[in-house]
Amino acid sequence: MKFKAMLIAGAMSFVPMTAMAADLTIGFSQIGSESGWRAAETTVTKQEAEKRGINLKFADAQQKQENQIKAIRSFVAQGVDAILLAPVVATGWDNVLEEARDAEIPVILLDRTVDAPDDLYMTAVTSDLVHEGRVAGQWLVDETAGAKCDIVELQGTTGSSPAIDRKTGFEEAIAGHDNLTIVRSQTGDFTRSQGKVVMESFLKAVGGENICALYAHNDDMAVGAIQAIKEAGLKPGEDIKIVSIDSVPDIHLAMANGEANATIELTPNMAGPALDALEAYLADGTTPPKWIQTESKLYTLNDDNMAIYEMKKDLGY
Amino acid sequence: MMNHVNSTLRRIAPQLVILAGVLLLNFLVFPDFFRIEFQHGRLFGNLIDVLNRGAPTALLCIGMTLVIATRGIDLSVGAVMAIAGAVAAALVVDGHSWQVALLGALCAGALCGAWNGVLVAVLRIQPIVATLVLMVAGRGIAQLVTEGTILTFVNPGLVHLGSGTVVGIPTPILIWLGLGLIVTAVVRKTALGMLIEAIGINESSSRLAGINSRVLIISVYLISGFCAALAGVIVAADIKGADANNAGLWLELDAILAVVIGGNSLLGGRFSIIASLLGALIIQSVNSVILLSGMPPEFNLVIKALIIIAILVIQSPTVKHALYILRASADPLPPGSIKEAKESPQ
């Protein structure tokens, strides 16, 4: 009973804040719809704003920086209370960010950072790609528990920062564990079909029975690889353990069927922590740190993957 | 008849030699390359992979060869693949049968091809620009159909087209072989092939000679769209999902390359679909070398570029001419003394 009263009191104490938030207008300049993840990020950002009673002005830049600069200028002209920016490229933001600073509008970067002096934005909310790779590697270290395990790796697009960082993190985590070796590593371009094609070649070049685990830099490649493993007459998830990154709905469906083992979430909810920081800043002037790291949550077969799939499938992935 | 077979053989000899060379390269990096087994109800082996994975490029280059023979080019095939895959996936997700989905996708592809054809033949827009329109816009159309997501499906009939087998042979292999044979037969057993070549060599004079060039040009683009649609359905069926962002991405360039490796001139005129298909297999074999070699992915594009430059240099007219001179000067000498012939000018 006491607990319930506390809950109510807690809820009541939020009322003034929500009332204040109701007056907030925030501009969000999104890159565009380059991937399912980004569509989900847009959906979640809109949900987060609605939950807090924030009036969100959404601008889709269609993968062009000039559209984003235009959108920010129009947000400044409209006198919004804050701007969320998912920058399409890293450079060329100094001028427009200065304009926002001169108008005293805080800018929060989502998901990617920019090459600009850090006094030009309030904070950046991003995930740590190296950390994601490390979580994947640590999962495999724990899962194999010292047993010998030959790993094949499906890399992301060669030279892209997620591919480099997720590879680095994974290698850091398995370093010093002599039972774990990466025997083959090739790019699958982050796509399902390349993931399938490259996995087919791994299965032939190394021999399916010699592969103990697959590490894929994203879930889509893992989904493709699962099909290749099945067509080779092996059981994905059992004969070959599969760990990948992103936590898209389809990998949870595969996990619910026991065809994949673990995924690390790249959360589409970058706006939640951003808006938390903003509300704290507006309420009592708390300056957030320059970098807010989102959680890289590990999902395994112990989670209710069917429920996660149902929850995620309508986010726009 | 024998004469005809001989001339075809002579035409595709360079491609056969190159293909054998690249396959040998595969064998060198992976000694089990030629082993084919029958397991889990399907043929299983690297050679089968080359034939199977080469299917999209092979299908594209059938249509592309005809388009290039009319002195045109079709940059939109990759985007048309994405559209066709999206249409097929959307139809089966909507509850239609796989036959309806296939038909819908093929119609969408043919429509895209006809659009290109009208732009080129009726409005007289240069082919590279006319098809660029759909290359850029097509992926957007596909994204509209899939609503920006990877549209997944489970319909077994449609999946069978991409990853199923018929008597142990993966379906895509049979599809591209079948279509290749049909189109070759149609253009070579009728005057159609010659008419297409005539347009490519000189459109004005072919029109003066009574060839309805407008209808023929629209037809070749339509066939190219149709082939692209079939490739798109196979690619989508292979991964049980239509990926509008990535399906067929940059594949138009592989298709054009296959046609060029097949010894067909980008300036139109004489063409050989069989040689183009061998070109597609050569490209896929090169991809196979890269995958089997186990080299770090940073080297992928460099290796591919080096092999392809080598192939094109061997085929270049100047090198061919030099080889011809070499052979001609060697001719009067008894066989086995080619080495001396080489040194004789010095």
Side-chain angles (χ1 to χ4, degrees), chain A residues 33-36 155 158 184-187 190-193 196-198 200-201 203-205 220 227 230-233 250 316-317, chain B residues 30 39-40 42 44-46 49 53 143 148-150 152 163 235 238-240 243 245-246 290-295 297-298 300:
Chain A
S33 53
E34 53 173 17
S35 65
Q155 296 186 29
T158 310
R184 283 258 166 173
S185 180
Q186 179 55 256
T187 177
F190 283 132
T191 66
R192 285 188 194 201
S193 24
K196 185 174 180 185
V197 171
V198 177
E200 276 180 3
S201 83
L203 287 166
K204 295 194 177 80
D220 278 329
Q227 293 179 19
K230 279 203 266 189
E231 281 171 22
D250 283 346
Y317 274 107
Chain B
F30 187 65
Q39 48 169 290
H40 315 290
R42 63 190 298 150
F44 189 86
N46 288 295
D49 276 359
R53 292 296 159 210
Q143 279 166 354
T149 63
I150 298 180
T152 51
S163 46
V235 165
D238 184 39
I239 58 164
K240 301 178 192 165
D243 186 348
N245 279 317
N246 298 307
I290 292 166
L291 288 177
L292 290 173
S293 67
M295 296 271 271
E298 288 79 5
N300 287 6

Short mmCIF file of all heavy atoms in Angstrom, two decimals, chain A residues 33-36 155 158 184-187 190-193 196-198 200-201 203-205 220 227 230-233 250 316-317, chain B residues 30 39-40 42 44-46 49 53 143 148-150 152 163 235 238-240 243 245-246 290-295 297-298 300:
data_model
loop_
_atom_site.label_atom_id
_atom_site.label_comp_id
_atom_site.label_asym_id
_atom_site.label_seq_id
_atom_site.Cartn_x
_atom_site.Cartn_y
_atom_site.Cartn_z
N SER A 33 15.88 7.88 -44.85
CA SER A 33 15.52 6.50 -44.55
C SER A 33 16.52 5.56 -45.18
O SER A 33 16.22 4.81 -46.09
CB SER A 33 14.11 6.19 -45.05
OG SER A 33 14.03 6.54 -46.40
N GLU A 34 17.80 5.63 -44.74
CA GLU A 34 18.85 4.84 -45.37
C GLU A 34 18.77 3.36 -44.97
O GLU A 34 19.23 2.50 -45.67
CB GLU A 34 20.22 5.40 -45.01
CG GLU A 34 20.38 5.53 -43.50
CD GLU A 34 21.77 5.93 -43.05
OE1 GLU A 34 22.53 6.42 -43.86
OE2 GLU A 34 22.04 5.73 -41.86
N SER A 35 18.20 3.08 -43.79
CA SER A 35 18.15 1.69 -43.34
C SER A 35 16.95 1.50 -42.43
O SER A 35 16.33 2.46 -41.98
CB SER A 35 19.42 1.34 -42.58
OG SER A 35 19.49 2.10 -41.39
N GLY A 36 16.65 0.23 -42.16
CA GLY A 36 15.55 -0.07 -41.27
C GLY A 36 15.78 0.49 -39.88
O GLY A 36 14.87 0.97 -39.23
N GLN A 155 32.34 -9.46 -41.91
CA GLN A 155 32.57 -8.05 -41.61
C GLN A 155 31.56 -7.17 -42.32
O GLN A 155 30.96 -7.55 -43.32
CB GLN A 155 33.96 -7.63 -42.11
CG GLN A 155 35.10 -8.33 -41.43
CD GLN A 155 36.43 -7.75 -41.88
OE1 GLN A 155 36.53 -6.58 -42.23
NE2 GLN A 155 37.45 -8.58 -41.87
N THR A 158 33.75 -2.83 -46.03
CA THR A 158 35.16 -2.60 -45.78
C THR A 158 35.45 -1.11 -45.60
O THR A 158 35.05 -0.30 -46.43
CB THR A 158 36.00 -3.14 -46.95
OG1 THR A 158 35.57 -4.47 -47.20
CG2 THR A 158 37.47 -3.13 -46.63
N ARG A 184 38.41 -17.41 -40.61
CA ARG A 184 38.11 -16.73 -41.88
C ARG A 184 37.40 -15.44 -41.56
O ARG A 184 36.57 -15.38 -40.65
CB ARG A 184 37.19 -17.59 -42.75
CG ARG A 184 37.89 -18.73 -43.44
CD ARG A 184 38.14 -18.39 -44.90
NE ARG A 184 39.10 -19.34 -45.44
CZ ARG A 184 39.42 -19.40 -46.73
NH1 ARG A 184 38.87 -18.59 -47.59
NH2 ARG A 184 40.32 -20.27 -47.15
N SER A 185 37.71 -14.41 -42.34
CA SER A 185 37.04 -13.13 -42.13
C SER A 185 36.90 -12.45 -43.47
O SER A 185 37.87 -12.29 -44.21
CB SER A 185 37.88 -12.27 -41.18
OG SER A 185 37.25 -11.05 -40.97
N GLN A 186 35.68 -12.11 -43.83
CA GLN A 186 35.45 -11.53 -45.16
C GLN A 186 34.25 -10.59 -45.06
O GLN A 186 33.42 -10.73 -44.17
CB GLN A 186 35.19 -12.68 -46.16
CG GLN A 186 34.92 -12.29 -47.59
CD GLN A 186 35.98 -11.42 -48.23
OE1 GLN A 186 35.79 -10.23 -48.38
NE2 GLN A 186 37.11 -12.02 -48.60
N THR A 187 34.18 -9.63 -45.97
CA THR A 187 33.09 -8.66 -45.87
C THR A 187 31.81 -9.21 -46.48
O THR A 187 31.83 -9.89 -47.51
CB THR A 187 33.45 -7.32 -46.53
OG1 THR A 187 32.30 -6.48 -46.47
CG2 THR A 187 33.86 -7.49 -47.98
N PHE A 190 27.22 -5.82 -45.02
CA PHE A 190 26.07 -5.53 -44.16
C PHE A 190 24.74 -6.00 -44.75
O PHE A 190 23.69 -5.61 -44.28
CB PHE A 190 25.95 -4.03 -43.85
CG PHE A 190 26.92 -3.53 -42.81
CD1 PHE A 190 27.66 -2.38 -43.02
CD2 PHE A 190 27.07 -4.18 -41.61
CE1 PHE A 190 28.55 -1.91 -42.07
CE2 PHE A 190 27.95 -3.72 -40.64
CZ PHE A 190 28.69 -2.58 -40.88
N THR A 191 24.76 -6.78 -45.86
CA THR A 191 23.48 -7.15 -46.49
C THR A 191 23.21 -8.65 -46.32
O THR A 191 24.12 -9.45 -46.14
CB THR A 191 23.47 -6.84 -47.99
OG1 THR A 191 24.43 -7.67 -48.64
CG2 THR A 191 23.80 -5.39 -48.25
N ARG A 192 21.92 -8.98 -46.42
CA ARG A 192 21.53 -10.39 -46.29
C ARG A 192 22.10 -11.24 -47.40
O ARG A 192 22.64 -12.33 -47.16
CB ARG A 192 20.00 -10.50 -46.35
CG ARG A 192 19.39 -10.04 -45.09
CD ARG A 192 17.92 -10.33 -45.04
NE ARG A 192 17.40 -9.55 -43.92
CZ ARG A 192 16.28 -9.80 -43.30
NH1 ARG A 192 15.52 -10.79 -43.67
NH2 ARG A 192 15.90 -9.05 -42.31
N SER A 193 22.01 -10.76 -48.66
CA SER A 193 22.44 -11.66 -49.74
C SER A 193 23.93 -11.88 -49.70
O SER A 193 24.38 -13.01 -49.88
CB SER A 193 21.99 -11.18 -51.11
OG SER A 193 21.77 -9.83 -51.15
N LYS A 196 24.80 -14.31 -47.04
CA LYS A 196 24.53 -15.69 -47.44
C LYS A 196 25.63 -16.22 -48.37
O LYS A 196 26.16 -17.32 -48.17
CB LYS A 196 23.16 -15.76 -48.13
CG LYS A 196 22.75 -17.18 -48.47
CD LYS A 196 21.34 -17.24 -49.01
CE LYS A 196 20.99 -18.69 -49.33
NZ LYS A 196 19.68 -18.82 -49.96
N VAL A 197 25.98 -15.39 -49.37
CA VAL A 197 26.99 -15.81 -50.35
C VAL A 197 28.34 -16.10 -49.66
O VAL A 197 28.97 -17.13 -49.92
CB VAL A 197 27.18 -14.70 -51.41
CG1 VAL A 197 28.35 -15.01 -52.31
CG2 VAL A 197 25.91 -14.53 -52.23
N VAL A 198 28.76 -15.18 -48.79
CA VAL A 198 30.07 -15.35 -48.16
C VAL A 198 30.06 -16.54 -47.20
O VAL A 198 31.02 -17.29 -47.13
CB VAL A 198 30.49 -14.04 -47.45
CG1 VAL A 198 31.81 -14.22 -46.73
CG2 VAL A 198 30.60 -12.90 -48.45
N GLU A 200 28.32 -19.22 -47.55
CA GLU A 200 28.43 -20.41 -48.41
C GLU A 200 29.89 -20.73 -48.70
O GLU A 200 30.31 -21.89 -48.64
CB GLU A 200 27.72 -20.16 -49.74
CG GLU A 200 26.24 -20.41 -49.73
CD GLU A 200 25.60 -20.14 -51.08
OE1 GLU A 200 26.32 -19.81 -52.04
OE2 GLU A 200 24.37 -20.24 -51.17
N SER A 201 30.66 -19.66 -49.01
CA SER A 201 32.06 -19.92 -49.34
C SER A 201 32.84 -20.35 -48.09
O SER A 201 33.71 -21.21 -48.18
CB SER A 201 32.69 -18.69 -49.99
OG SER A 201 33.11 -17.77 -49.01
N LEU A 203 31.63 -22.11 -45.64
CA LEU A 203 31.24 -23.50 -45.35
C LEU A 203 32.02 -24.46 -46.23
O LEU A 203 32.34 -25.57 -45.82
CB LEU A 203 29.74 -23.68 -45.57
CG LEU A 203 28.85 -23.03 -44.50
CD1 LEU A 203 27.41 -22.96 -44.97
CD2 LEU A 203 28.95 -23.79 -43.19
N LYS A 204 32.35 -24.02 -47.45
CA LYS A 204 33.08 -24.92 -48.35
C LYS A 204 34.57 -24.83 -48.10
O LYS A 204 35.27 -25.83 -48.08
CB LYS A 204 32.76 -24.58 -49.79
CG LYS A 204 31.29 -24.86 -50.04
CD LYS A 204 30.90 -24.89 -51.46
CE LYS A 204 29.43 -25.24 -51.57
NZ LYS A 204 28.55 -24.10 -51.30
N ALA A 205 35.07 -23.59 -47.89
CA ALA A 205 36.51 -23.42 -47.76
C ALA A 205 37.03 -24.02 -46.45
O ALA A 205 38.12 -24.57 -46.40
CB ALA A 205 36.87 -21.93 -47.83
N ASP A 220 21.55 -8.54 -40.18
CA ASP A 220 21.10 -8.91 -41.52
C ASP A 220 22.01 -9.95 -42.16
O ASP A 220 21.54 -10.93 -42.75
CB ASP A 220 21.01 -7.67 -42.42
CG ASP A 220 19.70 -6.92 -42.20
OD1 ASP A 220 18.70 -7.58 -41.88
OD2 ASP A 220 19.69 -5.69 -42.33
N GLN A 227 20.52 -18.99 -43.48
CA GLN A 227 19.97 -19.74 -44.61
C GLN A 227 21.03 -20.58 -45.29
O GLN A 227 20.78 -21.71 -45.70
CB GLN A 227 19.34 -18.77 -45.61
CG GLN A 227 18.12 -18.09 -45.05
CD GLN A 227 17.49 -17.12 -46.03
OE1 GLN A 227 17.74 -17.20 -47.22
NE2 GLN A 227 16.69 -16.21 -45.52
N LYS A 230 21.66 -23.62 -43.20
CA LYS A 230 20.57 -24.60 -43.33
C LYS A 230 20.68 -25.35 -44.65
O LYS A 230 20.50 -26.57 -44.69
CB LYS A 230 19.22 -23.88 -43.24
CG LYS A 230 18.80 -23.59 -41.81
CD LYS A 230 17.30 -23.42 -41.71
CE LYS A 230 16.94 -21.97 -41.80
NZ LYS A 230 15.53 -21.69 -41.52
N GLU A 231 20.99 -24.62 -45.73
CA GLU A 231 21.09 -25.27 -47.04
C GLU A 231 22.26 -26.25 -47.10
O GLU A 231 22.25 -27.17 -47.90
CB GLU A 231 21.20 -24.22 -48.15
CG GLU A 231 19.85 -23.60 -48.48
CD GLU A 231 19.95 -22.40 -49.41
OE1 GLU A 231 20.96 -22.28 -50.12
OE2 GLU A 231 19.01 -21.60 -49.41
N ALA A 232 23.26 -26.02 -46.24
CA ALA A 232 24.39 -26.95 -46.21
C ALA A 232 24.08 -28.15 -45.31
O ALA A 232 24.94 -28.99 -45.07
CB ALA A 232 25.65 -26.23 -45.72
N GLY A 233 22.84 -28.20 -44.78
CA GLY A 233 22.44 -29.36 -43.99
C GLY A 233 22.88 -29.31 -42.54
O GLY A 233 22.87 -30.32 -41.85
N ASP A 250 14.05 -9.48 -37.09
CA ASP A 250 14.18 -10.81 -37.71
C ASP A 250 15.19 -11.70 -37.00
O ASP A 250 15.05 -12.92 -37.01
CB ASP A 250 14.54 -10.67 -39.19
CG ASP A 250 13.33 -10.30 -40.02
OD1 ASP A 250 12.21 -10.40 -39.48
OD2 ASP A 250 13.49 -9.89 -41.19
N GLY A 316 9.37 -0.12 -37.73
CA GLY A 316 9.80 0.35 -39.04
C GLY A 316 11.13 -0.23 -39.49
O GLY A 316 11.68 0.18 -40.49
N TYR A 317 11.68 -1.21 -38.74
CA TYR A 317 12.95 -1.84 -39.14
C TYR A 317 12.86 -2.39 -40.55
O TYR A 317 11.86 -2.94 -40.92
CB TYR A 317 13.29 -3.00 -38.21
CG TYR A 317 14.03 -2.60 -36.95
CD1 TYR A 317 13.39 -2.59 -35.74
CD2 TYR A 317 15.36 -2.24 -37.02
CE1 TYR A 317 14.07 -2.25 -34.58
CE2 TYR A 317 16.05 -1.88 -35.87
CZ TYR A 317 15.41 -1.89 -34.65
OH TYR A 317 16.09 -1.55 -33.53
N PHE B 30 42.28 -23.06 -53.93
CA PHE B 30 41.46 -23.99 -53.17
C PHE B 30 41.36 -25.31 -53.93
O PHE B 30 40.52 -25.47 -54.82
CB PHE B 30 40.06 -23.38 -52.95
CG PHE B 30 39.20 -24.21 -52.03
CD1 PHE B 30 39.53 -24.38 -50.70
CD2 PHE B 30 38.05 -24.80 -52.52
CE1 PHE B 30 38.74 -25.13 -49.86
CE2 PHE B 30 37.24 -25.57 -51.68
CZ PHE B 30 37.59 -25.72 -50.35
N GLN B 39 24.52 -33.78 -51.76
CA GLN B 39 24.13 -33.97 -50.36
C GLN B 39 22.88 -33.17 -50.03
O GLN B 39 22.63 -32.11 -50.59
CB GLN B 39 25.28 -33.63 -49.41
CG GLN B 39 25.98 -32.32 -49.68
CD GLN B 39 26.91 -31.95 -48.55
OE1 GLN B 39 26.49 -31.62 -47.48
NE2 GLN B 39 28.21 -32.01 -48.79
N HIS B 40 22.09 -33.71 -49.12
CA HIS B 40 20.82 -33.10 -48.70
C HIS B 40 19.95 -32.76 -49.90
O HIS B 40 19.34 -31.70 -49.97
CB HIS B 40 21.05 -31.85 -47.85
CG HIS B 40 22.11 -32.05 -46.82
ND1 HIS B 40 21.92 -32.87 -45.73
CD2 HIS B 40 23.37 -31.57 -46.72
CE1 HIS B 40 23.03 -32.86 -45.00
NE2 HIS B 40 23.92 -32.10 -45.58
N ARG B 42 20.71 -31.95 -52.93
CA ARG B 42 21.13 -30.95 -53.91
C ARG B 42 22.60 -31.09 -54.22
O ARG B 42 23.38 -31.59 -53.41
CB ARG B 42 20.82 -29.54 -53.41
CG ARG B 42 21.59 -29.16 -52.14
CD ARG B 42 21.07 -27.88 -51.55
NE ARG B 42 21.25 -26.77 -52.47
CZ ARG B 42 20.44 -25.71 -52.51
NH1 ARG B 42 19.40 -25.64 -51.73
NH2 ARG B 42 20.67 -24.73 -53.33
N PHE B 44 26.24 -29.89 -54.45
CA PHE B 44 26.91 -29.06 -53.47
C PHE B 44 28.36 -28.95 -53.86
O PHE B 44 29.06 -29.95 -53.95
CB PHE B 44 26.74 -29.72 -52.09
CG PHE B 44 27.18 -28.89 -50.93
CD1 PHE B 44 26.30 -27.97 -50.36
CD2 PHE B 44 28.44 -29.03 -50.40
CE1 PHE B 44 26.70 -27.21 -49.28
CE2 PHE B 44 28.85 -28.27 -49.32
CZ PHE B 44 27.97 -27.36 -48.76
N GLY B 45 28.82 -27.75 -54.14
CA GLY B 45 30.22 -27.59 -54.51
C GLY B 45 30.46 -26.18 -55.00
O GLY B 45 29.53 -25.43 -55.29
N ASN B 46 31.73 -25.81 -55.09
CA ASN B 46 32.07 -24.45 -55.48
C ASN B 46 31.67 -24.13 -56.92
O ASN B 46 31.25 -23.03 -57.22
CB ASN B 46 33.56 -24.21 -55.29
CG ASN B 46 33.92 -24.11 -53.82
OD1 ASN B 46 33.49 -23.19 -53.16
ND2 ASN B 46 34.64 -25.09 -53.32
N ASP B 49 28.22 -23.27 -56.96
CA ASP B 49 28.05 -21.91 -56.43
C ASP B 49 28.29 -20.87 -57.50
O ASP B 49 27.57 -19.88 -57.59
CB ASP B 49 29.03 -21.67 -55.28
CG ASP B 49 28.48 -22.19 -53.96
OD1 ASP B 49 27.35 -22.70 -53.99
OD2 ASP B 49 29.17 -22.09 -52.94
N ARG B 53 25.41 -18.44 -58.11
CA ARG B 53 25.58 -17.04 -57.73
C ARG B 53 25.74 -16.13 -58.93
O ARG B 53 25.57 -14.92 -58.84
CB ARG B 53 26.79 -16.90 -56.79
CG ARG B 53 26.57 -17.55 -55.45
CD ARG B 53 25.47 -16.86 -54.72
NE ARG B 53 24.90 -17.70 -53.69
CZ ARG B 53 23.63 -17.62 -53.28
NH1 ARG B 53 22.80 -16.77 -53.86
NH2 ARG B 53 23.18 -18.40 -52.34
N GLN B 143 11.45 1.19 -52.62
CA GLN B 143 11.31 1.49 -51.20
C GLN B 143 9.87 1.84 -50.85
O GLN B 143 9.38 1.51 -49.77
CB GLN B 143 12.25 2.63 -50.79
CG GLN B 143 13.66 2.15 -50.56
CD GLN B 143 14.66 3.27 -50.48
OE1 GLN B 143 14.32 4.42 -50.71
NE2 GLN B 143 15.90 2.93 -50.18
N GLY B 148 10.14 0.90 -47.04
CA GLY B 148 11.44 1.16 -46.42
C GLY B 148 12.01 0.03 -45.59
O GLY B 148 13.09 0.15 -45.04
N THR B 149 11.28 -1.09 -45.47
CA THR B 149 11.80 -2.19 -44.65
C THR B 149 12.25 -3.33 -45.56
O THR B 149 12.01 -3.30 -46.77
CB THR B 149 10.72 -2.74 -43.72
OG1 THR B 149 9.68 -3.28 -44.52
CG2 THR B 149 10.15 -1.63 -42.84
N ILE B 150 12.93 -4.33 -44.97
CA ILE B 150 13.19 -5.57 -45.73
C ILE B 150 11.93 -6.41 -45.60
O ILE B 150 11.60 -6.89 -44.51
CB ILE B 150 14.40 -6.32 -45.17
CG1 ILE B 150 15.66 -5.46 -45.32
CG2 ILE B 150 14.58 -7.64 -45.91
CD1 ILE B 150 16.92 -6.12 -44.78
N THR B 152 9.92 -9.42 -45.63
CA THR B 152 10.22 -10.85 -45.63
C THR B 152 8.96 -11.67 -45.91
O THR B 152 7.84 -11.22 -45.64
CB THR B 152 10.80 -11.30 -44.28
OG1 THR B 152 9.94 -10.84 -43.25
CG2 THR B 152 12.17 -10.73 -44.07
N SER B 163 16.12 -20.42 -53.85
CA SER B 163 17.03 -21.32 -53.16
C SER B 163 16.60 -22.78 -53.26
O SER B 163 17.18 -23.64 -52.61
CB SER B 163 17.15 -20.91 -51.68
OG SER B 163 15.89 -20.64 -51.13
N VAL B 235 16.87 -13.01 -56.58
CA VAL B 235 17.65 -12.45 -55.47
C VAL B 235 16.78 -12.32 -54.22
O VAL B 235 17.22 -12.64 -53.11
CB VAL B 235 18.26 -11.09 -55.88
CG1 VAL B 235 18.75 -10.33 -54.68
CG2 VAL B 235 19.39 -11.30 -56.86
N ASP B 238 16.00 -15.75 -52.82
CA ASP B 238 17.18 -16.37 -52.22
C ASP B 238 17.29 -16.04 -50.74
O ASP B 238 17.66 -16.89 -49.93
CB ASP B 238 18.42 -15.88 -52.98
CG ASP B 238 19.68 -16.54 -52.48
OD1 ASP B 238 19.62 -17.74 -52.18
OD2 ASP B 238 20.71 -15.86 -52.38
N ILE B 239 16.98 -14.78 -50.37
CA ILE B 239 17.09 -14.40 -48.95
C ILE B 239 15.72 -14.30 -48.29
O ILE B 239 15.60 -13.79 -47.18
CB ILE B 239 17.87 -13.09 -48.76
CG1 ILE B 239 17.22 -11.94 -49.54
CG2 ILE B 239 19.32 -13.24 -49.17
CD1 ILE B 239 17.70 -10.58 -49.10
N LYS B 240 14.69 -14.77 -48.98
CA LYS B 240 13.32 -14.72 -48.46
C LYS B 240 12.93 -13.32 -48.02
O LYS B 240 12.25 -13.15 -47.01
CB LYS B 240 13.15 -15.69 -47.29
CG LYS B 240 13.47 -17.13 -47.65
CD LYS B 240 13.33 -18.02 -46.44
CE LYS B 240 13.91 -19.38 -46.74
NZ LYS B 240 14.13 -20.17 -45.56
N ASP B 243 14.98 -6.60 -50.29
CA ASP B 243 15.81 -5.58 -49.69
C ASP B 243 15.97 -4.45 -50.71
O ASP B 243 16.88 -4.47 -51.53
CB ASP B 243 17.16 -6.20 -49.32
CG ASP B 243 18.06 -5.25 -48.55
OD1 ASP B 243 17.73 -4.05 -48.51
OD2 ASP B 243 19.07 -5.71 -47.99
N ASN B 245 17.00 -1.51 -50.59
CA ASN B 245 18.23 -0.71 -50.57
C ASN B 245 19.38 -1.39 -51.28
O ASN B 245 20.21 -0.74 -51.90
CB ASN B 245 18.66 -0.44 -49.13
CG ASN B 245 17.89 0.69 -48.51
OD1 ASN B 245 17.69 1.71 -49.15
ND2 ASN B 245 17.43 0.50 -47.31
N ASN B 246 19.45 -2.70 -51.19
CA ASN B 246 20.67 -3.39 -51.63
C ASN B 246 20.48 -4.36 -52.79
O ASN B 246 21.47 -4.74 -53.41
CB ASN B 246 21.28 -4.16 -50.45
CG ASN B 246 21.69 -3.24 -49.34
OD1 ASN B 246 22.42 -2.28 -49.57
ND2 ASN B 246 21.19 -3.49 -48.14
N ILE B 290 38.29 -14.59 -54.96
CA ILE B 290 38.47 -13.67 -53.84
C ILE B 290 37.96 -14.29 -52.54
O ILE B 290 38.62 -14.24 -51.51
CB ILE B 290 37.75 -12.34 -54.14
CG1 ILE B 290 38.45 -11.63 -55.29
CG2 ILE B 290 37.69 -11.46 -52.91
CD1 ILE B 290 37.68 -10.50 -55.88
N LEU B 291 36.77 -14.91 -52.61
CA LEU B 291 36.18 -15.48 -51.40
C LEU B 291 36.98 -16.67 -50.89
O LEU B 291 37.18 -16.84 -49.70
CB LEU B 291 34.74 -15.91 -51.67
CG LEU B 291 33.73 -14.77 -51.83
CD1 LEU B 291 32.36 -15.32 -52.17
CD2 LEU B 291 33.66 -13.94 -50.56
N LEU B 292 37.45 -17.51 -51.83
CA LEU B 292 38.13 -18.73 -51.42
C LEU B 292 39.57 -18.48 -50.98
O LEU B 292 40.13 -19.25 -50.20
CB LEU B 292 38.11 -19.77 -52.55
CG LEU B 292 36.74 -20.37 -52.85
CD1 LEU B 292 36.81 -21.24 -54.08
CD2 LEU B 292 36.24 -21.16 -51.66
N SER B 293 40.17 -17.38 -51.49
CA SER B 293 41.58 -17.15 -51.19
C SER B 293 41.79 -16.84 -49.72
O SER B 293 42.89 -17.03 -49.20
CB SER B 293 42.11 -15.99 -52.04
OG SER B 293 41.49 -14.79 -51.63
N GLY B 294 40.73 -16.35 -49.02
CA GLY B 294 40.88 -16.03 -47.61
C GLY B 294 41.70 -14.78 -47.37
O GLY B 294 42.15 -14.53 -46.27
N MET B 295 41.88 -13.97 -48.43
CA MET B 295 42.60 -12.71 -48.27
C MET B 295 41.73 -11.74 -47.48
O MET B 295 40.51 -11.82 -47.53
CB MET B 295 42.89 -12.10 -49.65
CG MET B 295 43.80 -12.93 -50.50
SD MET B 295 45.50 -12.51 -50.23
CE MET B 295 45.72 -11.23 -51.43
N PRO B 297 39.47 -8.61 -46.66
CA PRO B 297 38.54 -7.96 -47.60
C PRO B 297 39.05 -6.67 -48.19
O PRO B 297 38.55 -6.23 -49.22
CB PRO B 297 37.29 -7.71 -46.76
CG PRO B 297 37.65 -7.98 -45.36
CD PRO B 297 38.85 -8.84 -45.35
N GLU B 298 40.07 -6.05 -47.59
CA GLU B 298 40.62 -4.82 -48.15
C GLU B 298 41.17 -5.06 -49.56
O GLU B 298 41.27 -4.15 -50.36
CB GLU B 298 41.74 -4.27 -47.27
CG GLU B 298 41.28 -3.66 -45.96
CD GLU B 298 40.96 -4.70 -44.89
OE1 GLU B 298 41.18 -5.90 -45.15
OE2 GLU B 298 40.47 -4.31 -43.81
N ASN B 300 39.84 -7.18 -51.82
CA ASN B 300 38.83 -7.67 -52.76
C ASN B 300 38.82 -6.92 -54.09
O ASN B 300 38.95 -7.50 -55.16
CB ASN B 300 37.44 -7.54 -52.15
CG ASN B 300 37.19 -8.56 -51.07
OD1 ASN B 300 38.11 -9.29 -50.71
ND2 ASN B 300 35.99 -8.62 -50.56
#
